[in-house]
Amino acid sequence: MGAISGSTGSGQADPGKGGFPHYMLKEIHEQPRVIGDTLDTMIDPVTSRLTLPNMSELKRASRLALVACGTSYHAALAGKYLMEKLARLPVDVELASEFRFREPVLTPGQAALFISQSGETADTLAALRLCRESGLKLLSLVNATESTMAREADAVWPMVAGPEIGIASTKAFTAQLALLSGLALALAGHRGHLEEREEARLVRALRDVPAACAAVLAETGPIEALARDLVAPARNVLFLGRGPCFPIALEGALKLKETSYIHAEGFAAGEFRHGPIALVDENMPVIVLAPSDSLFPQMASNLAEVSARGGRVIFMGDAAGLARVSGLAGHIVLPDIDPFASPLLYSIPLQLLAYYASVARGTDVDQPRHLTKSVSDEQG
Ligand code: BG6
């Protein structure tokens, strides 16, 4: 088991809880600033055009592998949806711990992007070294810019989340999502798949995110009550999402598992009826991520199927969406936002649900059992 350390795993100073009861809650509340700062690293303040460095490697790639572990893997999965849709670049998302032993078929025209908060995760580093042997361009997206991964990669996109102390990753996740959103836009422009006007519209959508997140963080009472009354007492909890919100459902489940020790699973909602729906009964909270996007009708019918079978559905979406569904055990109403930016916004209430459910269950929120900030040693 990797060493449990007081620092962020790469020696960054401990900033203190800033008056919050836990680092996790402090770091959740830092996200409007962190997302804003991340966008500032990619968007020209005068022209609002995207200005990302190191794009030449990505522009030339015939295929891209996104490689990561844990929460960073969920960011990679969301990145695939954005990059394939906007930039029309084929993207493979790889669990580093499987990828490194799978003898993957790699071709020099490919590029590989390694995503890591700590930059020290052993499986992701081993995957990076494997790709180097096959002559791939090595790109990395890391928070710890002094880390081994930043040193070994050919090009680095630094995250500006600052030190993350809570073992369950929160602000680093949304910083990763914001960077991947910017990368997808920049790449789409470079590959001739995005007109300037549409780029401007999507950049504005990203710029709306910090204020929308701040609005959610200003009103956490209803989320805390749902977490305490519906989630914390449960033995199992399910999360459903579609499209780019499917990886966010996976991340919501991971946050709850990591911090509250409740068994939780995320599913692609369309896949739910092919088996997992058998789990539904009157004791099962099912959190449904339903932004008002092109997939809402499908999501609403999944929601109806679950509540028809007695599931305790918690709807997460905007007011317009809430008005179109019924049979709920609870709801979390979020500000309207462009579907392109919904993965970022919808991450916040899921982090809060996990945090408040853990506090209600009295677990060690910042240092959950059996976990470390980065698994940096080889376990074979
Ligand atoms: C685990 C952490 O050890 O490593 C997770 O508990 C994290 O929170 C995962 O997502 C991957 O870490 P990193 O630093 O490579 O993003």
Side-chain angles (χ1 to χ4, degrees):
M1 178 69 59
I4 294 185
S5 69
S7 81
T8 62
S10 48
Q12 292 169 336
D14 177 343
K17 295 180 186 152
F20 287 91
H22 296 100
Y23 286 108
M24 184 178 178
L25 190 61
K26 171 181 176 280
E27 289 158 2
I28 289 174
H29 279 264
E30 285 178 19
Q31 293 179 103
R33 176 185 56 72
V34 165
I35 294 168
D37 290 354
T38 305
L39 296 177
D40 289 345
T41 66
M42 301 184 288
I43 302 170
D44 182 296
V46 180
T47 65
S48 288
R49 298 296 316 265
L50 287 152
T51 58
L52 276 128
N54 301 322
M55 289 304 292
S56 54
E57 304 302 351
L58 213 43
K59 252 189 332 195
R60 276 197 292 273
S62 58
R63 198 171 186 90
L64 178 66
L66 299 178
V67 187
C69 297
T71 289
S72 299
Y73 172 79
H74 294 148
L77 203 50
K80 172 184 172 80
Y81 281 85
L82 302 174
M83 287 189 177
E84 290 200 339
K85 179 170 180 182
L86 290 164
R88 310 310 292 153
L89 174 70
V91 173
D92 305 303
V93 182
E94 304 283 358
L95 278 169
S97 53
E98 284 296 313
F99 180 82
R100 58 176 292 195
F101 295 116
R102 200 187 71 224
E103 299 177 33
V105 179
L106 303 169
T107 55
Q110 279 183 268
L113 173 56
F114 302 89
I115 303 177
S116 175
Q117 188 286 125
S118 64
E120 301 295 349
T121 299
D123 286 321
T124 313
L125 279 171
L128 180 149
R129 291 162 187 157
L130 179 76
C131 289
R132 181 187 296 119
E133 285 160 24
S134 300
L136 270 66
K137 277 291 161 217
L138 308 175
L139 313 168
S140 79
L141 202 160
V142 290
N143 193 34
T145 47
E146 304 305 313
S147 63
T148 308
M149 210 171 291
R151 283 197 303 277
E152 294 195 14
D154 302 318
V156 178
W157 284 289
M159 292 153 54
V160 289
E164 189 175 64
I165 309 293
I167 284 187
S169 185
T170 53
K171 62 177 182 172
F173 179 62
T174 50
Q176 289 164 344
L177 289 179
L179 251 165
L180 288 163
S181 305
L183 271 177
L185 287 180
L187 199 55
H190 284 296
R191 292 166 63 90
H193 293 294
L194 191 65
E195 283 168 17
E196 221 175 291
R197 225 152 46 117
E198 181 62 0
E199 178 192 310
R201 188 183 71 76
L202 294 173
V203 164
R204 281 196 301 278
L206 289 178
R207 281 291 189 204
D208 291 341
V209 172
C213 293
V216 174
L217 292 167
E219 264 310 312
T220 59
I223 299 175
E224 183 172 359
L226 279 173
R228 188 189 55 237
D229 304 339
L230 266 178
V231 176
R235 290 172 60 86
N236 307 286
V237 177
L238 305 179
F239 295 75
L240 301 185
R242 276 182 180 266
C245 276
F246 162 46
I248 308 306
L250 293 177
E251 179 57 14
L254 178 61
K255 285 279 95 52
L256 192 63
K257 278 184 274 211
E258 281 179 306
T259 54
S260 74
Y261 315 150
I262 295 173
H263 172 239
E265 281 188 83
F267 292 100
E271 187 54 23
F272 197 57
R273 55 175 72 164
H274 302 294
I277 197 167
L279 295 168
V280 172
D281 64 19
E282 62 286 351
N283 305 313
M284 180 70 82
V286 181
I287 295 154
V288 175
L289 285 61
S292 290
D293 59 17
S294 59
L295 295 168
F296 186 89
Q298 286 80 6
M299 208 63 219
S301 90
N302 291 125
L303 184 155
E305 279 168 4
V306 174
S307 63
R309 288 163 178 75
R312 313 195 72 192
V313 176
I314 297 174
F315 169 89
M316 217 171 84
D318 49 44
L322 179 63
R324 295 162 66 190
V325 295
S326 58
L328 305 177
H331 60 260
I332 298 172
V333 177
L334 301 175
D336 296 352
I337 197 128
D338 187 284
F340 175 61
S342 51
L344 272 160
L345 177 63
Y346 282 56
S347 300
I348 309 286
L350 295 179
Q351 295 164 351
L352 289 166
L353 269 180
Y355 172 76
Y356 287 117
S358 310
V359 169
R361 289 169 71 102
T363 61
D364 187 343
V365 173
D366 283 339
Q367 295 263 357
R369 67 186 184 198
H370 314 329
L371 295 182
T372 60
K373 189 65 194 161
S374 80
V375 179
S376 49
D377 63 343
E378 285 294 357
Q379 298 171 333

